[in-house]
Amino acid sequence: MSKHATLVFSRHGESEWNVANIFTGWVDVDLSEKGLGEAKGAGELLKAENLQIDIAFTSFLKRAIKTCNLALESADQLYVPVNKSWRLNERMYGGLTGLDKKETVVKHGAEQVQIWRRSFDIPPPALEKESKYHPCHEPKYAALDPKEVPDTECLKDTIARVMPYWESTIAPELKAGKTVFVAAHGNSIRAIVKMIEGISDDVIPGLEIPTGTPLVYELDADLKPIASPLAVEPLKFGRYLGDAEKIKAAAEAVKNQTKVG
């Protein structure tokens, strides 16, 4: 298999609500100080790897948009065209939105919260339209059919939202042999990685993608991934740029966000 195109993901840097340990979803919170540094660091890794980006994609949420811009700036590639789509937004956390993760565990029990966070097809309770956090109140979604604005989502729903954009817009750029950068969110990246890697429904929810760490795929002309000896389980094809031990620790920290005591 010979390399035809390169796909690089970067999950956004740490956000202010990551720090506060709050379920965020579609709420448009900003990057933390550390998150700004992580986004710049992602760009430095792109530069060190000599990855020349042709086109970039991101979501409608500022934590991903800023990560995209800061990474491109650090890589000295701010000229790269950037496309934004709501379809690359984070998973909509429904009624969990705005709640403290540990308090939610105390209230509903660790097992139930784990199901909401990490099951493939069981969404949290719906977010009431009256909630100040509901995206139906935001001008950025005014052009959407109201039926497209979710009240809650599981990972399966997120995949159904993300993949039409992959097929129609991102995949053709890769088929053209380009190097594509996608700065998005844990769950919207999971959706695409699941398809590329062929990861099963029961394994994919547990894949932790660390913040601000580029994940690189080399693809053949049919957009089939080329195996990398540097892939970390459960991945077989994608490789992270940067310090492997730090990456492992960062992924573990995300996993432990709902641990109480």
Side-chain angles (χ1 to χ4, degrees):
M1 285 168 91
S2 64
K3 185 181 90 163
H4 175 72
T6 304
L7 173 61
V8 185
F9 293 106
S10 183
R11 185 179 177 186
H12 63 79
E14 179 189 77
S15 76
E16 290 171 346
W17 277 20
N18 288 145
V19 180
N21 215 20
I22 293 170
F23 288 105
T24 312
W26 280 37
V27 180
D28 203 5
V29 302
D30 213 335
L31 292 173
S32 68
E33 205 54 47
K34 180 183 169 190
L36 292 167
E38 287 177 331
K40 290 171 187 166
E44 284 157 15
L45 289 166
L46 295 180
K47 192 172 188 175
E49 194 75 9
N50 201 23
L51 280 161
Q52 297 298 314
I53 308 297
D54 296 306
I55 188 164
F57 297 92
T58 190
S59 73
F60 269 17
L61 300 169
K62 71 179 89 159
R63 59 191 187 272
I65 296 167
K66 285 191 175 181
T67 297
C68 186
N69 292 343
L70 288 165
L72 289 174
E73 184 175 10
S74 282
D76 200 20
Q77 297 181 51
L78 257 182
Y79 56 84
V80 168
V82 177
N83 299 269
K84 302 183 183 86
S85 173
W86 64 278
R87 288 188 177 275
L88 292 176
N89 277 13
E90 178 55 292
R91 166 155 83 104
M92 171 25 144
Y93 273 101
L96 301 182
T97 304
L99 299 181
D100 176 281
K101 290 178 182 176
K102 288 185 177 170
E103 282 174 13
T104 310
V105 167
V106 172
K107 188 174 170 187
H108 295 284
E111 199 178 324
Q112 180 61 69
V113 174
Q114 194 59 13
I115 288 168
W116 286 332
R117 279 189 88 202
R118 290 292 176 257
S119 83
F120 181 69
D121 54 7
I122 302 170
L127 182 64
E128 301 289 336
K129 292 264 194 303
E130 295 72 47
S131 167
K132 66 179 177 181
Y133 296 133
H134 201 292
C136 67
H137 307 300
E138 295 191 57
K140 61 167 86 66
Y141 306 114
L144 295 188
D145 179 331
K147 288 198 285 290
E148 289 185 314
V149 179
D151 297 323
T152 185
E153 286 178 322
C154 56
L155 181 55
K156 186 179 179 182
D157 300 325
T158 309
I159 292 168
R161 158 164 64 78
V162 171
M163 293 321 289
Y165 188 68
W166 165 266
E167 297 293 347
S168 68
T169 313
I170 302 175
E173 300 291 351
L174 292 162
K175 286 209 167 112
K178 293 184 180 173
T179 296
V180 172
F181 182 52
V182 177
H185 306 263
N187 285 294
S188 49
I189 293 171
R190 266 193 198 102
I192 303 172
V193 166
K194 181 187 195 307
M195 181 272 308
I196 291 173
E197 293 255 3
I199 298 174
S200 65
D201 295 357
D202 57 328
V203 172
I204 192 65
L207 171 66
E208 295 300 349
I209 298 162
T211 51
T213 305
L215 173 60
V216 180
Y217 285 89
E218 295 186 343
L219 308 171
D220 71 9
D222 297 319
L223 303 194
K224 294 279 178 282
I226 298 165
S228 168
L230 300 173
V232 180
E233 283 287 332
L235 305 180
K236 293 184 180 69
F237 304 96
R239 63 185 174 97
Y240 289 111
L241 302 184
D243 181 322
E245 284 309 307
K246 262 170 77 182
I247 290 161
K248 221 166 141 186
E252 205 52 40
V254 175
K255 203 176 277 184
N256 293 333
Q257 281 173 345
T258 51
K259 276 205 175 155
V260 178

